[in-house]
Amino acid sequence: MPNLADETTRYRLRVAGLLRAAANDLKRDEVNAAADLGLTLTEYRLLLAGQADLSWELIDRAAKVWPLNERDLLPVRDDAPLGVLIVDVAESAASSRTLRRGGVDYYEYRDTAMSRLATFRPEYIRMLAVVDDDDPANSTVQWNDGHLLYQFTFFVGPVNYYYKSGDRAFCVPMETGDSVWGVPYAPHSFTARDRSQDAYILALTYGGQLVGDSQRELSALGVHAAGSIGLPTGQSSNATGAVLRDLLRARLLTVAEVAASTGLARARVSDLCAGAASPDPAERALLAAATGVSERDLMPRDTRVADGVRIKRRATARQWTLPAAGAAAYRICPLAGDPLHPDTTAAQITVLGEAPDPDLLRTYQHTYFYVLDGAAALLRWEAAGVGHSRLVRPGDSGYAKPGVGLSFGAADGLVRILLLRIGCAVTAEVRYALSGFTDEHLRRYLCEDRQWYRPAGRSANET
Ligand code: FE
């Protein structure tokens, strides 16, 4: 078991890092910062040393006297200090609750593994309503109002999936292993087609970058601002034109100036901005150079969503083994996803080997897994150079931090595991910044440990 005292200490040190970083950003030395916060220098230094708790009164005071938010001084809780958090099938069953809709029991929900570190909100949901047709207008079907979180859904048994797009309603009969990825706020529902068979879904909702700081920032900016800064998706010339117009506005550029600096005809730049045409590769390179961005920044995010969803049938999925050469450890069956979310990966993996290399399942993404069926599997993981292991069984689920090596080994036959990986607050911009940090800079970024200058001074040759 992780040492809770250590966790308290680490949390306090993360508080200290945020407080130190905030004071540095605001160019307050220790004396100024302590005075602003109504603390003695001794009290302030105890906080910076991780030897005192941050009180709500102090957070309140900081948010009043400094241009920051209460949230800026609050670190996240690390509930997976060993790298992996497991919720076993008994714990999941203990969270069972039946929700009624339209006066009847409609779903049984059970929580599965969730961490405070990632935006997964994965539920096991059993369908209690049974229908005998595929009609979206069937009166047994109780629709929801849609929800913010993206929803990746994995189907087990004879489940009907219902979704709406605008005024149109759809029903898709699903089979075990089928999956769907859906965008926010689309109303949807699920029923069973056969009372005698188990029919459930794994509804793996997640917020990604829609929740957290971006949602809080936009909430304060308001509906008008939020509505005005959206970008179209897809590869149409309308979408590329919108991206180009957006960039010219951001860069204070005009069509005439872009034409002059790229050598393109003014009429052509006008057409590209208006969405009457898309730039060819040579034009894109010229436009990128003229606007000071990477060529990728001129390309809209692609999507293949139809009516708000991407449906993937198990029967037609192309499968492969991992690794490709030598003894295969896993068979990979890709599940629903979309280019809108390049950091999201969904797959069903079948465990083929006894003790695969944990490096095979190491990734920059947050990982959620659910043991679907089969025998017990030996889960091994490696976090920060330390190895751990335990058995996992069908119905067990888990969360693994980015960078943790994972291995599922099956000594007693095939085991199938549902895997969903997502990106989160660590965007591509952050990852590019990290690659430019030295080890010392990285440690300071994670937990600032010093004032940004030395009161006694520092000469050029001092380290
Ligand atoms: Fe949902």
Side-chain angles (χ1 to χ4, degrees), residues 144 147 151 188 205:
N144 65 12
H147 47 68
Q151 183 160 336
H188 52 276
T205 56

Side-chain angles (χ1 to χ4, degrees), residues 2 45 53 145 246 385 459 462:
R45 285 178 171 162
D53 284 320
D145 290 334
D246 195 57
S459 59
E462 269 185 83

Side-chain angles (χ1 to χ4, degrees), residues 380-455:
R380 294 188 301 135
W381 72 94
E382 183 274 318
V386 181
H388 309 269
S389 68
R390 63 164 282 171
L391 286 175
V392 287
R393 296 182 169 78
D396 291 354
S397 56
Y399 160 78
K401 285 176 174 172
V404 169
L406 278 183
S407 161
F408 296 96
D412 303 320
L414 299 181
V415 178
R416 276 185 285 264
I417 288 165
L418 174 62
L419 202 69
L420 181 69
R421 296 165 155 182
I422 60 169
C424 216
V426 183
T427 61
E429 177 187 322
V430 178
R431 296 182 68 205
Y432 291 128
L434 295 179
S435 74
F437 286 174
T438 63
D439 287 349
E440 182 195 344
H441 295 160
L442 190 59
R443 279 193 289 274
R444 289 184 62 187
Y445 173 58
L446 301 186
C447 193
E448 181 60 275
D449 64 354
R450 70 197 72 174
Q451 188 164 283
W452 82 100
Y453 73 97
R454 301 174 194 179

Side-chain angles (χ1 to χ4, degrees), residues 101 109 125 144 146-147 149 151 153 186 188-190 201 203 205:
R101 297 192 189 177
Y109 283 84
I125 306 176
N144 65 12
H147 47 68
L149 301 187
Q151 183 160 336
T153 306
H188 52 276
S189 189
F190 305 88
I201 61 171
T205 56

